[in-house]
Amino acid sequence: MARHPTPIVILGCGYAGRVFHRLAIAHGRSVITTSRGAPDASTQDTETNYRLFDLARPDTWNNIPVDADLLWCFPAAPLEQVQRFASTLTAAPRTLVVLGSTSAYDTAHRPTDYPPPWIDESAAVDLAKPRVQGEEFLRRHHRAILLRVAGIYGPGRSPLDWIRTGRVTASRKYVNLIHVDDLATACLAALERGIPGETYNVSDGTPRTWAEISLMASRRWNIHAAPGRDDSATGKRISNKKLLALFETSGNRLRHPDLTRALQQLQNEPPSPATGP
């Protein structure tokens, strides 16, 4: 496979970053990983470089190559620090993709609106949240491509574990999910085909209530959830139509649109440490 001339720097290479790293390398991209501490051994191979980077330490900012595309994987906050770092990104044209969260959307709809209305990228966001301020600054002033990401799950991060340990209950609250493999594909598609300054919702496009997921867990895997404690929370229903259009232009599709099948695959995998939703 021909190599792409522009390297990609993963700013904050955590759970999603490690999966993206493998995908990008497989697609012939040169990847540089970063973190605030020691490099992650799982991303160290002959095609990978590592750089120390900490948004709170300006002395590490020069470690980022001037000609690289950037995948920003941690909350873009506080705003003042984001602005200072962004002011250093003045070199040749590069693509900046920022991972945000669907929690940014201001859902001030009436509690009687149930199911909650669908939310697309035109919906209002809550600029009182520090990370949303940083995300919107990068999008508006540095033409960042913003991915508002739903709840991430995958190996070592299963919703079934969240149910088993009581982190979620069988409530009527809607949840939107995305498998980490599909998030990685979305990141690469955004870097290579995304429109600068645009926002894309990253979700599998099928909102479900925790009650529905809990019922499935009980029937299929004998995993029982605690009863829902709060029926006032309605959650959100996130539209992914814009993401699917981006996938179409890049020849991609969702690999895990079926949550039941995806959870069965996770159940079949060897146990690994679980992390939260």
Side-chain angles (χ1 to χ4, degrees):
M1 178 181 293
R3 299 201 61 80
H4 193 286
T6 306
I8 301 171
V9 175
I10 305 175
L11 297 178
C13 190
Y15 180 72
R18 290 190 292 271
V19 177
F20 171 78
H21 165 265
R22 294 193 294 269
L23 177 68
I25 290 292
H27 279 76
R29 298 299 296 262
S30 174
V31 181
I32 297 169
T33 64
T34 76
S35 72
R36 294 179 294 179
D40 187 329
S42 69
T43 63
Q44 299 311 296
D45 56 40
T46 57
E47 298 193 64
T48 305
N49 293 312
Y50 167 79
R51 307 289 173 88
L52 178 67
F53 175 80
D54 186 342
L55 185 65
R57 290 181 53 190
D59 61 299
T60 68
W61 297 354
N62 288 332
N63 292 340
I64 306 304
V66 297
D67 61 342
D69 291 337
L70 303 180
L71 177 63
W72 187 310
C73 294
F74 59 91
L79 178 60
E80 181 180 356
Q81 206 77 342
V82 170
Q83 291 172 327
R84 288 182 60 198
F85 172 64
S87 69
T88 70
L89 305 178
T90 57
R94 68 166 93 201
T95 302
L96 170 60
V97 172
V98 177
L99 299 191
S101 169
T102 56
S103 65
Y105 289 115
D106 182 3
T107 55
H109 56 268
R110 295 170 299 174
T112 54
D113 291 342
Y114 192 84
W118 284 93
I119 293 176
D120 64 16
E121 292 80 358
S122 67
V125 295
D126 185 358
L127 286 172
K129 295 181 178 179
R131 71 174 296 170
V132 178
Q133 296 171 12
E135 292 162 4
E136 286 297 300
F137 170 81
L138 292 171
R139 185 183 67 82
R140 294 173 181 174
H141 298 280
H142 293 271
R143 305 200 72 202
I145 299 167
L146 180 55
L147 303 183
R148 295 213 183 278
V149 184
I152 305 169
Y153 75 100
R157 195 169 182 160
S158 173
L160 297 179
D161 292 328
W162 309 341
I163 293 171
R164 185 185 291 112
T165 59
R167 296 186 183 187
V168 296
T169 61
S171 71
R172 72 170 192 160
K173 183 179 180 180
Y174 275 88
V175 62
N176 302 269
L177 298 170
I178 188 69
H179 194 286
V180 68
D181 290 345
D182 289 323
L183 172 56
T185 300
C187 291
L188 190 60
L191 282 161
E192 297 186 343
R193 299 291 184 118
I195 300 173
E198 289 290 312
T199 299
Y200 299 84
N201 290 336
V202 181
S203 166
D204 65 14
T206 307
R208 306 163 183 85
T209 67
W210 279 117
E212 292 169 340
I213 298 173
S214 298
L215 180 61
M216 174 175 60
S218 175
R219 288 177 173 175
R220 288 181 171 270
W221 300 291
N222 200 33
I223 298 172
H224 303 289
R229 294 186 293 267
D230 182 7
D231 274 343
S232 65
T234 60
K236 307 181 186 74
R237 293 197 295 168
I238 301 294
S239 170
N240 71 345
K241 291 181 179 179
K242 192 172 178 180
L243 174 71
L244 295 182
L246 175 63
F247 273 19
E248 186 174 352
T249 66
S250 56
N252 292 300
R253 60 181 178 82
L254 289 172
R255 290 178 55 191
H256 301 281
D258 185 329
L259 180 63
T260 303
R261 180 175 297 179
L263 292 181
Q264 184 61 64
Q265 291 174 352
L266 296 180
Q267 285 292 94
N268 293 340
E269 293 177 350
S272 58
T275 55

